[in-house]
């Protein structure tokens, strides 16, 4: 499992994939990354401190991810990240959280004292597909409501059951409402959700050039494209 990498094409930054307590929700139908979660605070901190030693601050931007939300990182890990931010003169942070922590987002912004791009797993703006099929439990009703708390949606593309119309609508919303977004092309994992190769090919044909040229939309054609994970 690679836990440190550098993202060098768009929005250059260092990225770490840390270990955390179990995801607060843990029931998204397409997710198997929660297998990385742990209940041992000692084990989590030990591993995280080691991973965090890699950070140099060379881009002045750091992204911290874990298999869940940043609120599931132990306090000692958060404190260590804050120390590194100061030591390495990091000026901007990318963090991620599930919708259920929306009322704690501001606290985290204040805690780190530097600008944060807060990502959220939206997967799809289609309410029914998101909450009933993907079981995301992110029950915001509008883009405006989402933007009250979060900066950058993470979208999922290429799942059997998703339609081209849904994806067109999602791309339109992302391109017209957000300064930053991530598009994940679904790759089969151990969950029951399956990739739809026909829709992935259609998506790549239609959107690859447009999205690759857009400096603020990052597309992961493979879930390890950021250089972390397995
Ligand atoms: S919120 Fe994220 S980590 Fe938790 S179950 Fe859903 S996809 Fe997995």
């Amino acid at each position: 499992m690679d836990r440190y990498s550098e993202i060098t094409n768009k929005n250059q930054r260092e990225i770490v994939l840390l270990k955390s307590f179990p995801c607060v929700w843990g029931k998204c139908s397409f997710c198997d990354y929660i297998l990385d979660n742990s209940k041992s605070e000692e084990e989590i901190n030990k591993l995280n401190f080691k991973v965090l030693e890699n950070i140099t601050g060379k881009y002045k931007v750091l992204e911290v991810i874990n298999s869940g939300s940043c609120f599931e990182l132990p306090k000692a890990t958060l404190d260590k990240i804050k120390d590194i931010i100061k030591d390495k003169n990091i000026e901007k942070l990318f963090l991620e959280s599930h919708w259920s922590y929306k009322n704690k987002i501001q606290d985290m912004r204040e805690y780190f004292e530097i600008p944060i791009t807060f990502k959220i797993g939206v997967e799809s703006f289609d309410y029914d597909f998101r909450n009933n099929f993907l079981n995301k439990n992110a029950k915001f009703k509008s883009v405006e409501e989402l933007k009250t708390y979060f900066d950058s949606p993470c979208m999922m593309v290429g799942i059997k059951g998703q339609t081209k119309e849904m994806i067109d609508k999602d791309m339109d919303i992302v391109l017209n409402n957000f300064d930053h977004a991530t598009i994940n092309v679904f790759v089969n994992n151990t969950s029951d959700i399956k990739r739809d190769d026909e829709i992935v090919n259609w998506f790549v044909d239609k959107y690859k050039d447009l999205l690759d040229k857009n400096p603020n939309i990052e597309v992961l054609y493979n879930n390890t494209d950021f250089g972390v994970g397995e």
Side-chain angles (χ1 to χ4, degrees), residues 188-199:
N188 283 329
N189 56 24
T190 60
S191 75
D192 290 337
I193 296 295
K194 291 291 164 240
R195 171 176 164 117
D196 183 335
D197 284 321
E198 197 258 315
I199 219 162

Side-chain angles (χ1 to χ4, degrees), residues 146-193:
L146 184 77
K147 286 175 73 172
T148 309
Y149 308 96
F150 294 92
D151 310 296
S152 172
C154 298
M155 309 300 295
M156 191 73 91
V157 158
I159 285 179
K160 265 198 184 18
Q162 198 173 23
T163 65
K164 292 174 185 173
E165 291 70 31
M166 281 181 202
I167 296 172
D168 279 337
K169 221 170 171 178
D170 282 345
M171 292 306 115
D172 183 61
I173 292 172
V174 162
L175 288 163
N176 290 301
N177 291 280
F178 294 94
D179 293 334
H180 184 268
T182 310
I183 318 287
N184 295 288
V185 177
F186 184 69
V187 175
N188 283 329
N189 56 24
T190 60
S191 75
D192 290 337
I193 296 295

Side-chain angles (χ1 to χ4, degrees), residues 14-213:
E14 291 176 281
I15 181 167
V16 284
L17 167 58
L18 300 183
K19 216 172 179 55
S20 61
F21 293 123
C23 164
V24 68
W25 175 234
K27 292 179 194 155
C28 297
S29 56
F30 59 91
C31 174
D32 69 355
Y33 2 112
I34 49 172
L35 299 173
D36 190 41
N37 294 161
S38 166
K39 286 187 178 151
S40 163
E41 186 160 354
E42 200 187 328
E43 179 208 359
I44 295 172
N45 282 324
K46 196 170 157 211
L47 187 141
N48 289 349
F49 284 18
K50 194 110 205 80
V51 175
L52 289 167
E53 277 174 13
N54 289 290
I55 296 168
T56 65
K58 64 193 286 191
Y59 302 112
K60 298 194 184 300
V61 185
L62 172 66
E63 175 158 3
V64 175
I65 58 173
N66 55 290
S67 300
S69 302
C70 59
F71 299 96
E72 287 134 14
L73 293 167
K75 177 80 170 69
T77 291
L78 290 171
D79 287 346
K80 179 65 91 184
I81 296 167
K82 193 168 172 176
D83 288 346
I84 291 169
I85 285 173
K86 290 214 166 97
D87 285 355
K88 308 287 179 186
N89 298 313
I90 289 168
E91 294 170 356
K92 188 179 170 187
L93 195 55
F94 284 77
L95 291 177
E96 186 165 343
S97 169
H98 186 265
W99 174 248
S100 56
Y101 290 111
K102 61 184 180 303
N103 293 322
K104 293 176 77 178
I105 298 291
Q106 189 53 33
D107 295 346
M108 198 59 101
R109 293 191 198 276
E110 284 165 20
Y111 171 76
F112 278 114
E113 299 175 312
I114 58 170
I116 300 179
T117 296
F118 244 107
K119 293 181 167 186
I120 174 170
V122 166
E123 320 309 345
S124 171
F125 281 98
D126 185 293
Y127 187 96
D128 180 57
F129 184 69
R130 181 173 74 249
N131 290 308
N132 296 330
F133 188 83
L134 299 179
N135 202 29
K136 189 74 204 180
N137 193 24
K139 297 187 175 169
F140 56 88
K141 295 281 179 358
S142 67
V143 173
E144 288 64 39
E145 189 186 2
L146 184 77
K147 286 175 73 172
T148 309
Y149 308 96
F150 294 92
D151 310 296
S152 172
C154 298
M155 309 300 295
M156 191 73 91
V157 158
I159 285 179
K160 265 198 184 18
Q162 198 173 23
T163 65
K164 292 174 185 173
E165 291 70 31
M166 281 181 202
I167 296 172
D168 279 337
K169 221 170 171 178
D170 282 345
M171 292 306 115
D172 183 61
I173 292 172
V174 162
L175 288 163
N176 290 301
N177 291 280
F178 294 94
D179 293 334
H180 184 268
T182 310
I183 318 287
N184 295 288
V185 177
F186 184 69
V187 175
N188 283 329
N189 56 24
T190 60
S191 75
D192 290 337
I193 296 295
K194 291 291 164 240
R195 171 176 164 117
D196 183 335
D197 284 321
E198 197 258 315
I199 219 162
V200 169
N201 292 339
W202 164 84
F203 171 77
V204 170
D205 262 9
K206 181 162 183 178
Y207 286 103
K208 187 172 190 306
D209 284 352
L210 177 77
L211 297 179
D212 285 356
K213 272 186 226 137

